[in-house]
Amino acid sequence: MSDLMEKKQRGAWSSKFGFIMAAVGSAVGLGNIWRFPYIAGTSGGALFLILYVVIVAVLGFAMLSLEFAIGRYKNANVVDAFRMEVRGKKVSPIGWLCMLTPFLIVSYYTVIGGWLVKYTVGYIAGGGMFDESNGTTANIFTNFIEDPLWSSVFTVIFLVMCLAVLIFGVKKGIEKVSKILMPALFFMLIFVAVVAVTMPNAGEGLKFLFVPDFGSVAENGGILNVLNNAMGQAFFSLSVGMGIAVTYGSYIKKDQNIPKNTLLVCVLDSLVAIIAGIAIMPAVFSAGLEPNKGAGLVFVSLPMVFKTLGNFGIVVAVLFFLLILFAAWTSAISILEVLIASVEEKTKLSRKASTLAVGAVILVTGIIVSLSQNPSIFGVDLLDLFDKITNKILLPLTSILICLFAVFKIGMKNIKQEFLLNSEATGLAKFWEFSVKYISPVLILFVFVMGLIFWNAT
Ligand code: PFF
């Protein structure tokens, strides 16, 4: 049988809109909603925003489009896309790194996804996720995540939600669902933002985000640290260095314009992050709470805010949790696709069997991470550990290696040709090449070193 016939038919996006929605679905995740608003506000407000936009333009755009181009050029899963010959042997260390990172990330992301399902369902059922006996929300959250049974059950529910989409493949699964969830997320976010800015004292929250604040830059370790925060945020938010854009890129048809589409993804991702800030910070300040990030923001502070709004607060809470759930769902789908595509193409398993095989592994690791939230079970918070290892080591390391692979293994001439297919952006391509060869690796190395030095900083 010829090679061509032996090779399974690979998936492909059916339209530009479908691809953009899937890519935005991957990019828009917890990073935009529970991390960006806090980091922006505490790292200089408008100063951070300007820096962030520059970094997304110079570094984020270059890396994301590079990954899309590599994916389309190689038309393969990450293990095959990064295959190279070392002393006559075929190896794929970067490909395996691109499997390890998604594996670790999705093992904890499904746990958080489970918490989101629990809160969405809780609010839909009319509960306030609020402890009336002592007027707080924190213990409801802690009791839930430390409950071995129910936290595991919700982890599994979220994982099954992802697998139920992935089993249908690229077009009928990921693309179809993203085309519905992303616009829905956008409209719900706008609604919540309008509610937030009309709350009393909302101006304080807007000031926190949008007024330049040199003082907070100094308090935050100075400009180098703020730069590091902005780069780390841009990377995580665009889902760079996780193998996702290579995998999604391998489904892009040759008639698509990669620079234009990447630009759109960068703009939409940043826009959602900024609107999320507008939807969250004014509400937090209005309720007289301290700005916060992560789980503390979403599961403790915001439920306090919703409580102050009475019955209307339940409606807002349902919309808010649904929109974060949609964000986390499409992100988790994208990262699972990296694993499933590789398993499907490296084994003779069908799409269905590969999805179930990957799902079975993540089921086990997800439950282990979920159980680690109860300190009396393992004594190590695996969610925090996996997050640190991936953010501080694996993402920057993989990203630098991807640049080196493009320069030394594929060759800039070839990859630039792929980047420029159906595009006239030759001037941009020159700058892009310069960024891939010099600016990006140096800046990423900086993030890498800073991450190791400040290992305990979040
Ligand atoms: N860009 C995503 C975010 O901001 O949350 C990053 C991501 C995380 C993608 C986890 C996929 C994933 F499973």
Side-chain angles (χ1 to χ4, degrees), residues 26-32 105-106 108-109 233 235-239 242 244 269 327-328 330-336:
S26 166
V28 170
L30 295 174
N32 304 59
I105 293 184
V106 83
Y108 74 76
Y109 218 76
Q233 175 64 23
F235 256 67
F236 189 76
S237 191
L238 289 172
S239 307
M242 305 177 186
I244 298 175
D269 182 59
T330 45
S331 291
I333 285 173
S334 72
I335 212 159
L336 280 163

Side-chain angles (χ1 to χ4, degrees), residues 6 40 49 53 58 70 72 82 98 119 150 169 193 205 233 248 251 277 289 339 363 369 391 430 455 458:
E6 233 177 40
L49 295 181
V53 170
V58 174
I70 292 177
R72 188 170 70 177
F82 289 112
C98 283
Y119 270 65
W150 283 105
Q233 175 64 23
Y248 274 20
Y251 306 140
L289 301 170
L339 303 175
L363 181 84
V369 174
N391 268 327
K430 277 198 191 120
W455 180 258
T458 46

Side-chain angles (χ1 to χ4, degrees), residues 31-51:
N32 304 59
I33 296 165
W34 83 11
R35 201 153 170 268
F36 181 88
Y38 175 84
I39 299 213
T42 52
S43 305
L47 298 174
F48 180 91
L49 295 181
I50 295 168
L51 195 65

Side-chain angles (χ1 to χ4, degrees), residues 144-213:
F144 166 61
I145 67 169
E146 289 186 1
D147 177 354
L149 176 66
W150 283 105
S151 61
S152 304
V153 167
F154 279 98
T155 300
V156 175
I157 293 177
F158 180 76
L159 179 62
V160 170
M161 282 167 59
C162 297
L163 300 177
V165 174
L166 284 156
I167 213 158
F168 291 104
V170 177
K171 256 189 220 124
K172 292 196 185 126
I174 306 173
E175 183 174 340
K176 213 168 167 186
V177 165
S178 307
K179 282 200 290 202
I180 301 168
L181 295 188
M182 282 305 105
L185 178 152
F186 196 74
F187 289 119
M188 288 192 282
L189 187 60
I190 299 277
F191 176 81
V192 179
V194 170
V195 172
V197 294
T198 48
M199 286 172 75
N201 217 12
E204 285 306 305
L206 294 176
K207 262 197 219 152
F208 175 72
L209 278 174
F210 295 116
V211 171
D213 182 1

